[in-house]
Amino acid sequence: MNKENLIWFDNKIIPQNQAKVSVLSPTSQFGANVFEGIRGYWNDDHQKLYLFRLDDHINRLLNSIKMMRFEDKYTFDFLIKNLIKVIRANNYTDDIAIRQTVFLDGNGSWSASSPLNMFIAPILKKRFDLKNKSGVDCCISSWERINDNSLSPKIKVGANYINSRAGQLEAIRNGYDFPIFLNNLGKVSEGPGACLFMVRDNMLITPPTTASILESITRKTIIELAQKELKIDVEVRNIDRTELYIADELFFCGTAVEILPIVSVDGINTGSGNAGKLTQIISDEYFKIVRGLNSDYLQYLTAIDYEK
Ligand code: PMP
């Protein structure tokens, strides 16, 4: 049952532990790699695995390649075709997460733009484990979020996650689950690997894409479903730190964390200190969409079945 994961690596499908990258490669030395985390949701009734917003993920990967000035080697179709091929090779009939990483291989310096290589690794993946809590306890990080004029948070590059790491380690050291970063203007940006939403007076509020955040696909989905499905007013604007202390509800969103309620910030309870009502409604709607249970959103799903 627990067979070895097969990954796509350098044009071949091989067991994960057979992939080799040089220690001197710029990806190994400098974090010169761009990647996407994509989720696949198994629908047992439909006998299909639904990949959520695959086209958007691939387009963001191509944008990351462009902003990094990596060589223009991979086409949209090639990236999609091989991702589907390696999922099929694994025959997954459960929820999965796929890591698709384009990296600088060879032994050049940090300024190299080739040779590029890629791996695509799908793995079985469950939901984030809240361990009997209804949400996560957060702190404002003492580390400032990277910004567009230093290390752009818009590029999903491995090196950016050293900033995430600093904040995450500090949060855990101080007894919290996750950090929330402020940007270089002192406004709320995002978590270490997720965007943030706040509810105040039944209004859903999230920082703009210019607030030192990744252009999150989940964030975009939530804005759409809140407005269209739930008729909730959405405001995209800067958020002050102290607003987090008096918010009715807060949650993180992202491909990996999905919808993750935040129940306190800096030791101050968010609302009642439990996951919020609107957060739950948004979360229920989100899971219907990703699992193919809302027919109005099927255009966001790439269905994989194993019949043939
Ligand atoms: N911000 C950061 C820093 C992330 O790593 C992620 C996860 N990709 C997100 C936000 C959420 O983005 P998405 O909804 O596209 O997964």
Side-chain angles (χ1 to χ4, degrees):
M1 288 299 265
N2 219 345
K3 63 181 173 49
E4 196 168 9
N5 284 329
L6 295 174
I7 70 167
W8 187 101
F9 179 78
D10 200 9
N11 265 318
K12 289 184 280 295
I13 291 189
I14 56 172
Q16 185 181 311
N17 65 4
Q18 286 178 19
K20 291 193 173 56
V21 179
S22 165
V23 291
L24 286 179
S25 59
T27 185
S28 160
Q29 292 195 84
F30 312 117
N33 57 73
V34 294
F35 66 98
E36 283 298 316
I38 303 159
R39 272 206 190 244
Y41 293 88
W42 177 250
N43 184 316
D44 213 38
D45 292 334
H46 300 185
Q47 288 291 298
K48 283 187 171 75
L49 184 70
Y50 290 119
L51 305 179
F52 188 58
R53 300 193 79 156
L54 180 58
D55 290 10
D56 294 286
H57 280 286
I58 298 302
N59 278 324
R60 189 169 65 187
L61 186 62
L62 287 167
N63 281 341
S64 288
I65 289 171
K66 193 171 183 181
M67 288 185 279
M68 287 295 285
R69 298 169 186 266
F70 285 166
E71 67 172 322
D72 181 16
K73 173 174 172 181
Y74 298 115
T75 63
F76 180 87
D77 290 346
F78 183 86
L79 295 171
I80 298 248
K81 186 180 80 186
N82 288 296
L83 178 134
I84 290 174
K85 190 168 159 189
V86 68
I87 292 172
R88 284 192 185 284
N90 282 285
N91 253 299
Y92 286 125
T93 54
D94 209 338
D95 293 352
I96 61 167
I98 305 122
R99 177 58 60 89
Q100 184 157 13
T101 300
V102 170
F103 60 92
L104 264 184
D105 210 341
N107 54 13
S109 99
W110 51 73
S111 59
S113 56
S114 65
L116 270 196
N117 207 338
M118 175 165 70
F119 70 81
I120 311 172
I123 54 162
L124 291 172
K125 184 94 174 183
K126 293 287 170 215
R127 295 205 61 185
F128 181 84
D129 183 6
L130 273 169
K131 300 194 182 79
N132 298 324
K133 299 203 293 187
S134 72
V136 290
D137 296 295
C138 292
C139 60
I140 301 300
S141 184
S142 75
W143 295 94
E144 185 178 282
R145 189 66 179 141
I146 46 175
N147 73 76
D148 205 56
N149 291 319
S150 57
L151 199 57
S152 177
K154 285 195 177 57
I155 311 176
K156 201 163 164 56
V157 55
N160 281 4
Y161 289 80
I162 303 306
N163 178 242
S164 300
R165 172 185 164 83
Q168 182 80 61
L169 287 176
E170 177 191 53
I172 289 169
R173 221 167 36 242
N174 293 331
Y176 300 98
D177 298 311
F178 284 105
I180 295 170
F181 290 97
L182 304 181
N183 62 26
N184 58 336
L185 301 174
K187 302 297 177 188
V188 172
S189 63
E190 60 179 350
C195 282
L196 181 134
F197 278 89
M198 166 174 86
V199 178
R200 284 190 73 187
D201 301 328
N202 293 316
M203 176 100 86
L204 196 58
I205 304 160
T206 192
T209 54
T210 48
S212 294
I213 68 170
L214 182 73
E215 292 185 350
S216 154
I217 293 163
T218 320
R219 172 184 172 281
K220 217 158 65 172
T221 306
I222 289 168
I223 292 174
E224 185 182 346
L225 80 84
Q227 289 174 329
K228 279 203 200 146
E229 299 295 300
L230 306 170
K231 312 290 179 215
I232 301 171
D233 289 330
V234 180
E235 205 181 346
V236 176
R237 65 157 173 84
N238 280 325
I239 296 177
D240 282 332
R241 173 184 190 148
T242 51
E243 284 188 275
L244 300 181
Y245 298 156
I246 53 172
D248 300 323
E249 302 181 27
L250 292 168
F251 62 90
F252 282 132
C253 77
T255 300
V257 300
E258 300 168 317
I259 314 274
L260 188 61
I262 296 168
V263 293
S264 76
V265 178
D266 287 345
I268 300 177
N269 276 349
T270 307
S272 64
N274 286 305
K277 272 202 198 93
L278 214 52
T279 305
Q280 190 57 50
I281 292 170
I282 290 168
S283 178
D284 292 347
E285 201 56 48
Y286 180 77
F287 283 106
K288 271 190 220 155
I289 290 173
V290 296
R291 224 174 267 287
L293 303 174
N294 183 337
S295 55
D296 291 342
Y297 290 81
L298 293 181
Q299 78 276 12
Y300 286 154
L301 307 178
T302 302
I304 296 184
D305 56 43
Y306 299 101
E307 252 97 82
K308 25 203 175 315

